Amino acid sequence: MDETFRWLEINPACCNGRGWADTLYPFDRLPPGRGIEKYERLWQKSHLAAGIALVFETDSETIGIRWSQHEFEEEPGSFETRSANGFDLYAFDEIDGDWRWAGLTSGIRVSEADVFTLKRGHPLGRRRYLLYFPMQKTVKQAWLGINERAFFRFEPPRKDPPLLYYGTSLINGAFSSRPGLSLAARLAREFDCPLLNFGFAGSAEMQIEVAELIAELAPAAILVDVLQNLDLSLLPGRVVPFLKTVAAAHPDKPILVLENAMALAAFWRDGGGKAQMYWWNVYRRLFRKVRRDFPNLHYVSGLELMGIDRETGSDSVHANDIGFDRMFRALAGALRRVSPQFKPAVSAAEKRRRYLKHFE
Amino acid sequence: MDETFRWLEINPACCNGRGWADTLYPFDRLPPGRGIEKYERLWQKSHLAAGIALVFETDSETIGIRWSQHEFEEEPGSFETRSANGFDLYAFDEIDGDWRWAGLTSGIRVSEADVFTLKRGHPLGRRRYLLYFPMQKTVKQAWLGINERAFFRFEPPRKDPPLLYYGTSLINGAFSSRPGLSLAARLAREFDCPLLNFGFAGSAEMQIEVAELIAELAPAAILVDVLQNLDLSLLPGRVVPFLKTVAAAHPDKPILVLENAMALAAFWRDGGGKAQMYWWNVYRRLFRKVRRDFPNLHYVSGLELMGIDRETGSDSVHANDIGFDRMFRALAGALRRVSPQFKPAVSAAEKRRRYLKHFE
């Protein structure tokens, strides 16, 4: 097996998932000089590479990755190692006509000399690959390792309208088991559209500057899923101006406004559900004020968003893969209902037929 | 908040999940002197505490855990930290009338002086708790930390027939995000029965000695899910005698014999699905030979056991929480179909009604 690499630096301009070209650091998700810097935590989270993704074509037998990171003071956290730190690889499967999971880096990067192997083993011929960046790291530079004599081509980023998912730590990756299983990435694959991941852990607080930035983009649809970060005291001042700004800028695009799924820990508090319901109701009333003028706004209840069995996490508030799998199905359904644009390229029956072809 | 602990050693005799009392080490899953020792890897895996679970009642505000382990040479592996190393706590929820997740240890044990907190924060009154041991550790001794003046009572292990799940590394915990989300534990909670977890990573090879051990137990039902560990060359010699021995010993108990869900990596091999199908068919033919005499044997196809989207893992062969969630639903359905004993204590509609009560 050929494991000799030549290293190709990943050009940020080739990556999907970037809303602006003129960012402070190459893989940043928000631009400088637009008022975000004053929200220290949000500004810091905007440097994380969540949702950055690259498509390339190669016949390399082995694929590696090396990368360096900005040395910020990172928050200590229980962010699962491989979702936070891993690069995650999908390959295009001709039988399914879709991206299928192909490899994940393991281990923690210590220096940029560390080489991680994304794919080894069985040669897959010349093929397109989709590479997701880590959800919780500030990637400074990254290099793809390709066999010396292999064919290689970067695919330019997509120009069609992206799905824009504005959310909290959950959308910032906490805690899918790998980046490709993060909720926003799954929705984008399902509907075959590019993605702008606006998941900002602990800092998705409907700051008006974020609304103004979203207003200047051209998304296919917007999901707003920030209630877990919005203290009750912030709701009256923030919700209406934020939603108005976003909805007025995109009056013909579906905008889904989500209630949070209740934090698992809250079920153990006396009156925890009632307190959550009160919080949801305040939010819903504010939503309705804006909805009158903007019928493109759609409300999504949090009550059963992750099902009812409370097996959907491993800490007080974040989701596990089960929670995200259930949210994925709920939100894919919601998008299909509100817009004819969001239908899967192939029907469920056809997906199954293709799956079974692998065994013929 | 009271975080002063008195330490109560967990008596193995109080634990569920042990098939035999006279084991070499207290939390072993197989007994010595019965021919298992000659299978070195199986014998080693039988020391792991997968499926060991303890019920206790307390009003302690904080609950801690300390533990020591046998110093075996452990296999290096990518076993997810918290499933492999964590103790996982459920509490009985009166509204749901069921166990609900309440806390998980984080971090890696270095010495037995390390104290892990399972539950802190909001007091829950006097309540029953269900504690799962780590899936991939050999627990030598463990101590529960209970507040100085708190009430405490160990609940004796259940005497009713357990669900017995004989499986590979997947059943040994690879890779649910925590022990309580392991597939066998979820099935046992669903049907409110005790569990014998016979998941032995890389060594579930239908050794006849294992069949003889299963033959002397009194399970409510048996799942046999070992095909991933059975090389084609082993099938002809092992399957028939193993299944005959188990089925003859438990002729009136449902025995589900599962095909493996195909390894994700195998989809990328030319003819990978066909090779899998061939393997399944050899297995199915052998199964049918035994089934003629034992109608209590039931076959479960692996073809769609984890769905069809191949999002069910993060390595070549093991499952993630999504894979297990889907297997859980498939197997809970299969058990319900084959035996009237396996119906959930409450209907789906009643479960939902109770869930909604949290918000009233």
Side-chain angles (χ1 to χ4, degrees):
Chain A
M1 187 166 52
D2 189 353
E3 296 210 40
T4 59
F5 288 130
R6 63 186 157 115
W7 293 100
L8 306 170
E9 183 173 353
I10 295 175
N11 181 349
C14 288
C15 289
N16 294 282
R18 300 164 70 236
W20 293 267
D22 54 339
T23 50
L24 180 62
Y25 302 117
F27 299 107
D28 278 12
R29 295 176 291 157
L30 296 177
R34 302 294 303 276
I36 301 298
E37 292 90 334
K38 68 170 171 282
Y39 306 106
E40 196 180 342
R41 191 166 186 199
L42 172 62
W43 182 237
Q44 187 199 21
K45 297 301 177 193
S46 78
H47 304 319
L48 302 175
I52 303 291
L54 173 74
V55 178
F56 57 90
E57 188 176 355
T58 188
D59 58 5
S60 188
E61 211 175 306
T62 315
I63 300 173
I65 188 106
R66 279 197 303 124
W67 57 292
S68 64
Q69 71 179 64
H70 292 288
E71 300 306 334
F72 294 110
E73 199 66 51
E74 292 192 42
E75 287 177 89
S78 53
F79 280 92
E80 298 293 330
T81 301
R82 303 214 283 180
S83 170
N85 299 282
F87 280 78
D88 198 13
L89 188 70
Y90 282 67
F92 196 80
D93 184 305
E94 269 79 30
I95 296 175
D96 291 294
D98 207 344
W99 298 108
R100 292 294 179 239
W101 182 73
L104 172 68
T105 56
S106 60
I108 299 281
R109 194 202 71 97
V110 176
S111 88
E112 71 179 65
D114 293 350
V115 171
F116 296 99
T117 305
L118 278 159
K119 178 208 165 298
R120 55 161 55 92
H122 196 78
L124 299 183
R126 188 189 286 197
R127 187 178 291 270
R128 293 170 69 221
Y129 290 91
L130 167 60
L131 177 69
Y132 290 102
F133 277 44
M135 301 298 290
Q136 288 279 330
K137 288 293 163 184
T138 54
V139 176
K140 190 174 170 187
Q141 283 179 285
W143 298 265
L144 268 178
I146 299 296
N147 297 158
E148 282 297 350
R149 272 172 301 273
F151 169 86
F152 184 87
R153 186 178 69 85
F154 281 116
E155 203 164 288
R158 298 174 61 155
K159 300 284 187 203
D160 46 333
L163 191 70
L164 191 158
Y165 200 134
Y166 176 43
T168 64
S169 50
L170 281 80
I171 301 312
N172 209 160
F175 301 110
S176 66
S177 55
R178 48 183 176 78
L181 287 180
S182 62
L183 176 57
R186 284 192 72 188
L187 287 168
R189 282 201 305 282
E190 173 75 5
F191 296 115
D192 188 23
C193 58
L195 170 69
L196 290 175
N197 182 317
F198 276 30
F200 303 113
S203 51
E205 294 173 324
M206 287 193 163
Q207 298 92 338
I208 194 67
E209 293 84 353
V210 175
E212 286 160 359
L213 287 172
I214 292 175
E216 67 188 47
L217 296 166
I222 300 168
L223 293 101
V224 177
D225 178 11
V226 297
L227 189 52
Q228 193 71 56
N229 280 179
L230 278 177
D231 196 78
L232 257 180
S233 66
L234 288 176
L235 292 187
R238 299 257 173 116
V239 176
V240 171
F242 182 95
L243 291 181
K244 265 192 182 162
T245 303
V246 170
H250 305 292
D252 58 343
K253 302 296 176 193
I255 300 171
L256 267 53
V257 179
L258 279 70
E259 291 174 352
N260 57 301
M262 181 156 125
L264 290 185
F267 282 96
W268 292 116
R269 276 177 226 131
D270 284 334
K274 270 169 81 169
Q276 179 67 70
M277 193 59 94
Y278 178 81
W279 195 18
W280 283 338
N281 283 338
V282 172
Y283 195 52
R284 191 190 294 254
R285 278 195 297 275
L286 293 165
F287 169 85
R288 283 188 180 141
K289 280 192 199 176
V290 191
R291 159 86 201 200
R292 266 185 244 129
D293 300 319
F294 298 99
N296 57 321
L297 289 170
H298 305 274
Y299 198 75
V300 178
S301 163
L303 193 60
E304 296 177 69
L305 205 48
M306 293 196 193
I308 64 170
D309 63 6
R310 294 156 62 186
E311 300 289 15
T312 51
S314 294
D315 68 8
S316 57
V317 63
H318 301 104
N320 59 17
D321 282 336
I322 300 175
F324 287 130
D325 194 43
R326 295 176 184 173
M327 278 190 79
F328 164 71
R329 276 179 282 142
L331 296 179
L335 281 166
R336 274 195 295 272
R337 279 190 297 279
V338 300
S339 168
Q341 186 198 334
F342 289 97
K343 62 179 177 61
V346 291
S347 68
E350 173 63 13
K351 275 184 191 171
R352 183 162 179 273
R353 200 189 63 77
R354 292 181 186 180
Y355 174 78
L356 296 178
K357 276 189 75 170
H358 288 281
F359 299 91
E360 281 168 10
Chain B
M1 188 164 52
D2 189 352
E3 297 210 40
T4 60
F5 289 130
R6 62 186 158 114
W7 292 100
L8 306 170
E9 184 173 352
I10 296 175
N11 181 349
C14 287
C15 290
N16 294 282
R18 299 164 70 236
W20 293 267
D22 54 339
T23 50
L24 180 62
Y25 301 118
F27 299 107
D28 277 12
R29 295 176 291 157
L30 296 178
R34 302 295 303 276
I36 301 298
E37 292 89 333
K38 69 170 171 282
Y39 306 105
E40 196 179 343
R41 190 166 187 200
L42 171 62
W43 182 238
Q44 186 198 21
K45 297 301 176 192
S46 78
H47 304 318
L48 303 175
I52 303 291
L54 173 74
V55 179
F56 58 90
E57 188 176 355
T58 188
D59 58 5
S60 187
E61 211 174 307
T62 316
I63 300 172
I65 189 107
R66 279 196 303 125
W67 57 292
S68 64
Q69 71 179 64
H70 292 288
E71 300 306 333
F72 294 109
E73 199 66 51
E74 293 192 42
E75 286 177 89
S78 52
F79 280 92
E80 297 293 329
T81 301
R82 303 214 284 179
S83 170
N85 299 282
F87 280 78
D88 198 13
L89 188 71
Y90 282 67
F92 196 81
D93 184 305
E94 269 79 30
I95 296 175
D96 291 294
D98 207 344
W99 298 108
R100 292 293 179 240
W101 182 73
L104 172 67
T105 56
S106 60
I108 299 281
R109 194 202 71 97
V110 176
S111 87
E112 70 180 65
D114 292 350
V115 171
F116 297 99
T117 305
L118 278 159
K119 178 209 164 297
R120 55 161 55 93
H122 196 78
L124 299 183
R126 189 190 285 196
R127 187 179 292 269
R128 293 170 70 222
Y129 290 91
L130 167 60
L131 177 69
Y132 290 102
F133 277 43
M135 301 298 289
Q136 289 279 330
K137 288 292 164 185
T138 53
V139 176
K140 190 174 171 188
Q141 284 180 285
W143 298 266
L144 268 178
I146 299 296
N147 297 158
E148 282 297 350
R149 272 171 301 274
F151 169 86
F152 184 87
R153 186 179 70 85
F154 281 117
E155 203 164 287
R158 298 174 62 155
K159 300 284 186 202
D160 48 332
L163 190 72
L164 191 158
Y165 201 134
Y166 176 43
T168 64
S169 50
L170 282 80
I171 301 312
N172 208 160
F175 301 111
S176 66
S177 55
R178 47 183 177 78
L181 287 180
S182 62
L183 176 57
R186 283 192 73 189
L187 287 168
R189 282 200 306 282
E190 173 74 5
F191 296 115
D192 188 23
C193 58
L195 170 69
L196 290 175
N197 183 317
F198 276 30
F200 303 113
S203 51
E205 294 173 325
M206 287 193 164
Q207 298 92 338
I208 193 67
E209 293 84 353
V210 175
E212 286 160 359
L213 287 171
I214 293 175
E216 68 188 48
L217 296 166
I222 300 168
L223 293 101
V224 178
D225 179 10
V226 296
L227 189 52
Q228 193 72 56
N229 280 179
L230 278 177
D231 196 78
L232 257 180
S233 65
L234 288 176
L235 292 187
R238 300 259 173 114
V239 177
V240 171
F242 182 95
L243 291 182
K244 265 192 182 162
T245 303
V246 170
H250 305 293
D252 58 343
K253 301 297 176 192
I255 300 171
L256 268 52
V257 180
L258 279 69
E259 291 174 352
N260 57 301
M262 181 157 126
L264 290 185
F267 282 96
W268 292 116
R269 276 177 227 130
D270 284 336
K274 269 169 82 169
Q276 179 68 71
M277 193 59 94
Y278 178 81
W279 195 17
W280 283 338
N281 284 338
V282 172
Y283 194 52
R284 190 190 294 253
R285 276 194 299 274
L286 293 165
F287 169 85
R288 283 189 180 141
K289 279 192 199 176
V290 191
R291 159 86 200 200
R292 267 184 243 129
D293 300 319
F294 298 99
N296 57 321
L297 289 170
H298 305 273
Y299 198 75
V300 178
S301 163
L303 193 60
E304 296 177 68
L305 205 48
M306 292 196 193
I308 64 170
D309 63 6
R310 294 156 61 185
E311 300 288 15
T312 52
S314 294
D315 68 8
S316 57
V317 63
H318 301 103
N320 58 18
D321 282 335
I322 300 175
F324 287 130
D325 194 44
R326 295 176 184 173
M327 277 190 79
F328 164 71
R329 277 179 281 142
L331 296 178
L335 281 167
R336 275 195 296 272
R337 279 190 297 278
V338 300
S339 168
Q341 186 198 334
F342 289 97
K343 62 180 177 59
V346 292
S347 69
E350 173 63 13
K351 276 184 191 171
R352 182 163 180 274
R353 200 189 63 77
R354 292 181 185 181
Y355 173 78
L356 296 178
K357 276 189 75 171
H358 288 282
F359 299 90
E360 281 169 10

